[in-house]
């Protein structure tokens, strides 16, 4: 599904070059649950932004379903993100004056589905995360965990090929964080590809594979259960 080869990203500021990624390579298959882990400044968020076509690399290859980021225009990338990818962020990014139901419906605005179809898709997404009973509430009437569940429902409403989650438990207490991770595990069990960015080891270990970064380089790529390390940085 995702192929990254010798990926590099360099930020320039007043002629000063700062490398964020330094030759990263790996592959992610359909149906995997992968954590990208590392401390602040390791390059994990930069890597996720490139994988989900929110940023472009300085050099190297990044392909999604065999489509290279270099071969697509910005409009084509935007259409692919809306159709193929779901996003969950640490800060939820919900519209405060919009109900839970309408927040979840947002990715369907330009899809052309009938209102009946949209209703069923939103209902299914809310049921999947267990907050259908809160569909008419506003974000400020929800707990942090419920807001994040709403964000997850929004991410999966369009049946994306992959769900990207950037520090999704960062603003939650341990109980709510566990509930959110349980949802990601269920989604993965149902066939969704999930890519999680985190700096927390215990959160990363809820995935099935961990790619660890430090200073823009992969320092390990392991399967969580077998603890098998691939010598070339790729798990095939």
């Amino acid at each position: 599904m995702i192929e990254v080869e010798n990926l590099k990203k360099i930020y320039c500021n007043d002629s000063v070059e700062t490398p964020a990624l330094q030759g990263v390579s790996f592959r992610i298959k359909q149906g995997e649950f992968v954590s990208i882990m590392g401390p602040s400044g390791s390059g994990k968020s930069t890597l996720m932004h490139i994988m989900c076509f929110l940023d472009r690399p300085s050099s190297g290859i990044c392909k999604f379903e065999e489509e290279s980021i270099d071969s697509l225009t910005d409009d084509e990338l935007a259409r692919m993100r809306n159709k193929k990818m779901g996003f969950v962020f640490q800060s939820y990014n919900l519209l405060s004056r919009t109900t839970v139901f309408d927040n979840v419906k947002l990715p369907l605005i330009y899809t052309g589905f009938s209102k009946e179809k949209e209703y069923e898709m939103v209902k299914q997404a809310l049921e999947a995360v267990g907050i259908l009973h809160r569909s008419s509430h506003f974000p400020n009437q929800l707990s942090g965990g419920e807001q994040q569940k709403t964000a997850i429902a929004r991410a999966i409403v369009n049946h994306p090929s992959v769900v990207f989650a950037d520090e999704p438990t960062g603003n939650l207490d341990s109980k709510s964080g566990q509930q959110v991770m349980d949802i990601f595990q269920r989604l993965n069990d149902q066939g969704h590809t999930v890519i999680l960015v985190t700096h927390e080891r215990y959160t990363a270990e809820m995935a099935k594979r961990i790619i660890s970064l430090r200073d823009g380089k992969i320092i390990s790529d392991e399967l969580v259960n077998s603890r098998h390390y691939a010598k070339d940085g790729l798990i095939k």
Side-chain angles (χ1 to χ4, degrees), residues 25-51:
S25 299
F26 59 87
R27 296 182 181 92
I28 295 175
K29 295 180 180 180
Q30 173 73 39
E32 282 198 86
F33 186 174
V34 180
S35 287
I36 299 174
M37 189 184 75
S40 178
S42 63
K44 60 185 185 298
S45 290
T46 297
L47 176 58
M48 190 192 78
H49 289 161
I50 293 174
M51 284 195 296

Side-chain angles (χ1 to χ4, degrees), residues 101-102 104-105 108 111 113-129 132 135 153 156-159:
F101 189 95
D102 287 335
V104 174
K105 191 174 72 173
L108 304 178
T111 57
F113 293 125
S114 66
K115 290 184 178 180
E116 292 78 11
K117 177 67 172 177
E118 287 183 352
Y119 175 83
E120 286 302 319
M121 293 174 73
V122 174
K123 180 182 175 183
Q124 289 174 9
L126 290 170
E127 286 177 335
V129 300
L132 180 60
S135 61
I156 65 172
V157 70
N158 209 19
H159 304 295

Side-chain angles (χ1 to χ4, degrees), residues 2-234:
I2 296 175
E3 179 182 351
V4 170
E5 183 177 338
N6 198 27
L7 202 67
K8 297 181 181 180
K9 180 67 178 181
I10 299 173
Y11 294 104
C12 296
N13 185 18
D14 295 331
S15 300
V16 177
E17 293 188 347
T18 303
L21 296 173
Q22 304 186 62
V24 172
S25 299
F26 59 87
R27 296 182 181 92
I28 295 175
K29 295 180 180 180
Q30 173 73 39
E32 282 198 86
F33 186 174
V34 180
S35 287
I36 299 174
M37 189 184 75
S40 178
S42 63
K44 60 185 185 298
S45 290
T46 297
L47 176 58
M48 190 192 78
H49 289 161
I50 293 174
M51 284 195 296
C52 61
F53 295 166
L54 291 170
D55 197 2
R56 293 181 183 267
S58 300
S59 64
I61 296 171
C62 180
K63 292 183 178 180
F64 178 80
E65 295 184 342
E66 300 185 353
E67 286 273 12
S68 173
I69 189 172
D70 292 330
S71 67
L72 300 172
T73 66
D74 288 345
D75 286 345
E76 289 171 333
L77 293 176
R79 284 194 291 271
M80 183 172 285
R81 283 195 300 270
N82 186 59
K83 184 178 180 181
K84 298 280 190 176
M85 302 175 183
F87 303 93
V88 181
F89 301 98
Q90 178 177 346
S91 57
Y92 321 135
N93 290 356
L94 301 177
L95 299 181
S96 60
R97 297 184 179 182
T98 303
T99 65
V100 165
F101 189 95
D102 287 335
N103 264 286
V104 174
K105 191 174 72 173
L106 284 173
L108 304 178
I109 289 176
Y110 300 109
T111 57
F113 293 125
S114 66
K115 290 184 178 180
E116 292 78 11
K117 177 67 172 177
E118 287 183 352
Y119 175 83
E120 286 302 319
M121 293 174 73
V122 174
K123 180 182 175 183
Q124 289 174 9
L126 290 170
E127 286 177 335
V129 300
I131 56 166
L132 180 60
H133 63 293
R134 306 287 267 170
S135 61
S136 62
H137 289 69
F138 292 88
N140 64 0
Q141 298 173 310
L142 307 179
S143 67
E146 289 172 331
Q147 290 185 62
Q148 194 60 294
K149 290 176 183 179
T150 302
I152 296 172
R154 180 182 58 194
I156 65 172
V157 70
N158 209 19
H159 304 295
S161 300
V162 58
V163 176
F164 291 95
D166 192 357
E167 301 282 6
T169 63
N171 286 338
L172 304 178
D173 59 57
S174 57
K175 181 179 179 181
S176 297
Q178 182 62 57
Q179 291 175 346
V180 164
M181 291 307 301
D182 288 344
I183 291 172
F184 284 125
Q185 289 176 324
R186 287 201 304 274
L187 290 172
N188 180 243
D189 290 341
Q190 294 164 6
H192 288 272
T193 304
V194 180
I195 300 176
L196 168 73
V197 169
T198 183
H199 67 279
E200 299 170 332
R201 183 77 193 184
Y202 72 90
T203 300
E205 288 182 342
M206 295 181 191
K208 297 176 181 177
R209 174 184 172 193
I210 301 175
I211 298 173
S212 296
L213 296 181
R214 182 178 297 157
D215 299 327
K217 299 177 181 179
I218 292 178
I219 59 172
S220 67
D221 188 340
E222 60 178 313
L223 297 177
V224 174
N225 292 330
S226 65
R227 299 301 183 195
H228 169 70
Y229 289 76
K231 293 180 180 179
D232 61 354
L234 304 176

